[in-house]
Amino acid sequence: EVYRIMKNGKQSSQPEKGSSRILSLTVLFIALCGFSFYLGGMFCSERVKIEVNDVTSTTTKAVASPMKPTVSPLQIKSVSFPECSSELQDYTPCTDPKRWKRYGVHRLSFLERHCPPVYEKNECLIPPPDGYKPPIRWPKSRDQCWYKNVPYDWINKQKSNQHWLKKEGDKFHFPGGGTMFPRGVSHYVDQMQDLIPEMKDGTVRTAIDTGCGVASWGGDLLDRGILTISLAPRDNHEAQVQFALERGIPAILGVISTQRLPFPSNSFDMAHCSRCLIPWTEFGGIYLLEIHRIVRPGGFWVLSGPPVNYNRRWRGWNTTMEDQKSDYNKLQSLLTSMCFKKYAQKDDIAVWQKLSDKSCYDKIAKNMEAYPPKCDDSIEPDSAWYTPLRPCVVAPTAKVKNSGLGSIPKWPERLNVAPERISDVHGGSASGLKHDDGKWKSRVKHYKNVLPALGTDKIRNVMDMNTVYGGFAAALVKDPVWVMNVVSSHSANTLPVVFDRGLIGTYHDWCEAFSTYPRTYDLLHLDSLFTLESHRCEMKYVLLEMDRILRPGGYVIMRESSYFMDAITMLAKGTRWNCRREETEYAVESEKILVCQKKLWFSSNQTS
């Protein structure tokens, strides 16, 4: 431009086109920046507004020093949950008999878990039966319970001749009888120990009882150092699992039908069926394959009842000796084909042992016509949450073989030895397990200061709602409690480590109801459950489920981020719990403990 002025001796009155274009673009750029800033402020404000109302999100707010933001605690409105109808006093949401007709009868699949959708969930408090009393304390509860707490006359009338239980006055008494042990459960277990010496020396520690009755077998084994999960489906009359838990014996609702049981592979040292009426030889032996999956190498399967001892017992089974002999031969053939070997038999008790020898499984793999075939690598052995049963043999890997019975230490040494399968957990190690155990010993010591009932006979049935390695249960192992260790189906698979340590547990998703009856646990413990799961599971439904399964007079210990504490406290008040906030053992600001106790109350709208 200067060059033009000098050349012509005068200044042009009109700017050049290039200069005009630059000026226009500059103005447009400034306008767009301003408009963008306006839109950004409007939408960001709207987002903050949404997040504040969302119980699963974290918001921050500026304080005096912009370099030190703090987390604003989640706030929710006060809530008061109404009472449910007294008709729901034994309500089990995911195994509700009123919904059975919606599902198929093939292989009794209607007895499996079928949870209601969100729009059918009850937002109310389950009342206890009229006349409910605090449960009789352990160990007396093993032999008796209050009739009003489990008022089922049907099972008393149908099973009194088998001495399952007997109603006397205001109590049920459990004499320890059963269909296959008329001389009492202790005599029955004595016979079993004679056949399986490993039950006496700590080799066998964990067991599962399928079709458990009132769990007398599992109850007797507790005194022998064997921890048993008693398994039975929900039913209209017998309430087997409810009786077991009322007695203080570990139990869970479940059925072997079309889906895997909620346990990892190679977990139980022993499985037991005493005339449990499971058709083991039907459907290609698929139920036996599930037993094979969950029993660890070297572990045992015990069967008493048909078709064992058929040549003497067939007359009492409403069948012919030829039919029973055929059924027994078919059973033996199936067990052999899936690498079980006959271990021992006497009278009505037969025992098979799961082989850990690689050659048996290699033989199956090489035989293309073998049935059942070996599972291929695409089938995850530990996948067990709504996973269909597979008609194939899960072959133990080298790592699992080293976790077999006889390879792992005996109880109680195995509790404190890092299992080989801990290396399957991301970041898992022996040093990590040792650190975790030390942490939980310190925490449980502190818990007993803030909740003196812990460690006494006031607390028997305990659940750790989101365990990792079972450290909480390990720290309580010398107390008169048992602990159901729950591992989230959405978290790292640490449940095999729990079982390898000689503890028991199950997979579960806390967006759904747990597989148990109401009023079955004395203490529920959680550690950062809402921090980990609130993005998936609505808090109020988790608290309502906790209230359903907690006994009146029972306790809750919630260890959570300070961010959630106000909201949890507000919801807990809505469930009628008495709560108090406590510091952690290190008194950190970011984490607090909420200790609650459930009140005993009765329905104000009892139905006739």
Side-chain angles (χ1 to χ4, degrees):
E1 186 69 25
V2 173
Y3 178 75
R4 278 183 59 82
I5 293 173
M6 290 177 64
K7 184 177 180 181
N8 299 327
K10 62 181 180 180
Q11 183 176 354
S12 174
S13 61
Q14 296 295 328
E16 287 293 308
K17 291 182 180 180
S19 176
S20 176
R21 185 179 300 110
I22 292 173
L23 180 63
S24 299
L25 289 174
T26 302
V27 172
L28 179 62
F29 177 75
I30 294 172
L32 287 174
C33 286
F35 186 62
S36 177
F37 179 80
Y38 169 75
L39 289 176
M42 181 177 68
F43 283 106
C44 287
S45 299
E46 184 66 23
R47 182 180 178 186
V48 170
K49 181 179 178 181
I50 293 171
E51 288 181 350
V52 167
N53 292 325
D54 186 351
V55 300
T56 68
S57 61
T58 302
T59 61
T60 59
K61 101 177 164 177
V63 291
S65 172
M67 300 300 292
K68 295 181 179 180
T70 60
V71 176
S72 178
L74 176 67
Q75 301 293 328
I76 64 172
K77 293 181 180 180
S78 176
V79 62
S80 179
F81 297 108
E83 299 174 10
C84 298
S85 166
S86 58
E87 295 177 351
L88 295 178
Q89 65 186 26
D90 292 322
Y91 180 53
T92 54
C94 295
T95 50
D96 183 6
K98 292 182 179 179
R99 305 177 76 242
W100 284 350
K101 291 183 179 179
R102 303 184 186 187
Y103 309 103
V105 297
H106 176 65
R107 287 165 46 181
L108 302 180
S109 60
F110 65 92
L111 292 175
E112 294 182 310
R113 288 177 59 87
H114 302 284
C115 300
V118 173
Y119 59 84
E120 289 186 16
K121 286 186 176 181
N122 291 313
E123 296 185 21
C124 55
L125 306 178
I126 304 291
D130 189 30
Y132 180 90
K133 298 180 182 181
I136 296 170
R137 295 181 182 178
W138 183 266
K140 290 184 178 179
S141 62
R142 178 166 42 192
D143 302 320
Q144 55 186 269
C145 72
W146 299 113
Y147 167 74
K148 288 286 189 178
N149 290 10
V150 276
Y152 295 103
D153 286 316
W154 185 92
I155 191 172
N156 177 50
K157 295 175 182 177
Q158 294 294 320
K159 298 297 183 179
S160 59
N161 63 322
Q162 297 174 11
H163 306 291
W164 280 24
L165 74 171
K166 185 178 182 181
K167 184 176 181 295
E168 295 180 354
D170 58 355
K171 294 179 181 177
F172 276 125
H173 290 264
F174 302 92
T179 308
M180 296 310 301
F181 32 97
R183 296 177 62 182
V185 67
S186 292
H187 180 264
Y188 175 75
V189 175
D190 287 342
Q191 288 181 305
M192 198 174 296
Q193 285 188 325
D194 290 339
L195 297 176
I196 311 173
E198 292 87 347
M199 293 176 67
K200 300 178 182 180
D201 64 0
T203 300
V204 172
R205 165 62 180 171
T206 60
I208 183 169
D209 188 12
T210 54
C212 63
V214 292
S216 293
W217 187 74
D220 184 85
L221 288 175
L222 288 170
D223 281 342
R224 306 176 193 240
I226 298 176
L227 197 55
T228 303
I229 291 182
S230 296
L231 179 83
R234 169 68 200 251
D235 49 59
N236 275 325
H237 307 291
E238 297 183 16
Q240 301 169 67
V241 166
Q242 193 170 17
F243 273 111
L245 291 162
E246 188 69 19
R247 299 175 68 186
I249 301 170
I252 192 170
L253 287 169
V255 62
I256 308 179
S257 177
T258 67
Q259 298 171 357
R260 286 178 171 178
L261 297 176
F263 312 114
S265 64
N266 308 294
S267 296
F268 293 97
D269 305 333
M270 183 178 186
H272 171 255
C273 162
S274 175
R275 200 170 188 181
C276 58
L277 303 181
I278 296 174
W280 297 113
T281 58
E282 294 184 18
F283 311 111
I286 198 165
Y287 303 142
L288 283 174
L289 286 167
E290 178 63 357
I291 293 296
H292 180 278
R293 185 185 72 87
I294 63 175
V295 170
R296 71 175 66 247
F300 302 98
W301 183 57
V302 180
L303 176 66
S304 65
V308 177
N309 203 15
Y310 64 86
N311 56 333
R312 293 182 57 191
R313 289 283 194 176
W314 67 271
R315 289 184 179 85
W317 294 341
N318 297 319
T319 183
T320 65
M321 186 168 70
E322 289 72 20
D323 287 342
Q324 286 300 306
K325 181 179 179 180
S326 175
D327 199 26
Y328 180 83
N329 291 337
K330 187 177 181 181
L331 177 68
Q332 179 62 63
S333 177
L334 280 168
L335 288 166
T336 301
S337 70
M338 56 185 73
C339 298
F340 275 107
K341 73 171 183 179
K342 188 69 170 292
Y343 187 77
Q345 180 175 343
K346 184 177 180 181
D347 298 332
D348 296 324
I349 302 173
V351 183
W352 287 265
Q353 185 177 37
K354 178 178 173 178
L355 295 175
S356 56
D357 185 3
K358 184 175 179 291
S359 62
C360 178
Y361 301 97
D362 287 344
K363 185 178 179 180
I364 297 175
K366 293 176 181 178
N367 184 0
M368 300 301 293
E369 297 181 356
Y371 184 86
K374 179 179 175 290
C375 295
D376 60 44
D377 294 337
S378 67
I379 298 177
E380 170 55 51
D382 291 346
S383 177
W385 187 246
Y386 294 116
T387 301
L389 292 181
R390 310 290 190 182
C392 58
V393 177
V394 174
T397 62
K399 189 173 294 183
V400 168
K401 182 179 176 181
N402 292 335
S403 299
L405 217 59
S407 298
I408 56 174
K410 297 178 180 179
W411 180 262
E413 288 79 15
R414 68 191 271 187
L415 178 66
N416 300 309
V417 176
E420 188 162 347
R421 286 196 281 183
I422 198 171
S423 62
D424 291 336
V425 181
H426 180 69
S429 66
S431 60
L433 179 66
K434 185 177 181 180
H435 173 77
D436 189 70
D437 278 353
K439 175 183 71 176
W440 280 108
K441 287 178 182 177
S442 176
R443 289 182 172 187
V444 167
K445 182 179 179 180
H446 180 64
Y447 287 167
K448 289 182 177 180
N449 288 330
V450 299
L451 182 59
L454 183 59
T456 72
D457 62 1
K458 292 182 180 179
I459 294 176
R460 172 61 185 169
N461 301 350
V462 178
M463 180 186 290
D464 192 1
M465 294 176 61
N466 61 322
T467 193
V468 179
Y469 297 135
F472 176 67
L476 292 170
V477 74
K478 294 183 179 179
D479 292 331
V481 304
W482 65 270
V483 180
M484 180 65 77
N485 293 282
V486 180
V487 171
S488 171
S489 59
H490 284 74
S491 69
N493 180 29
T494 59
L495 197 53
V497 176
V498 173
F499 275 97
D500 286 352
R501 300 185 70 188
L503 304 172
I504 56 174
T506 182
Y507 295 117
H508 184 62
D509 179 357
W510 283 111
C511 297
E512 302 178 356
F514 193 76
S515 296
T516 191
Y517 284 86
R519 303 172 302 279
T520 45
Y521 283 86
D522 300 302
L523 172 64
L524 302 177
H525 170 263
L526 62 86
D527 176 23
S528 303
L529 176 66
F530 296 109
T531 299
L532 298 169
E533 300 281 18
S534 63
H535 67 289
R536 298 190 311 107
C537 311
E538 193 169 348
M539 288 174 62
K540 68 176 178 180
Y541 290 123
V542 178
L543 266 291
L544 284 168
E545 175 61 6
M546 292 169 66
D547 182 79
R548 183 185 74 88
I549 67 180
L550 188 64
R551 286 172 167 172
Y555 301 93
V556 176
I557 299 177
M558 288 183 275
R559 187 185 194 97
E560 259 300 349
S561 163
S562 299
Y563 171 74
F564 289 101
M565 267 298 159
D566 288 348
I568 295 171
T569 303
M570 190 65 70
L571 288 170
K573 288 180 180 178
T575 61
R576 309 184 187 183
W577 298 352
N578 291 321
C579 297
R580 68 180 190 277
R581 196 172 301 192
E582 299 282 355
E583 296 291 340
T584 65
E585 58 278 5
Y586 299 116
V588 294
E589 189 61 33
S590 60
E591 187 178 54
K592 301 296 178 183
I593 296 172
L594 194 67
V595 179
C596 302
Q597 185 174 25
K598 180 178 176 177
K599 298 178 182 178
L600 172 59
W601 55 271
F602 293 100
S603 176
S604 59
N605 52 9
Q606 290 280 347
T607 59
S608 56

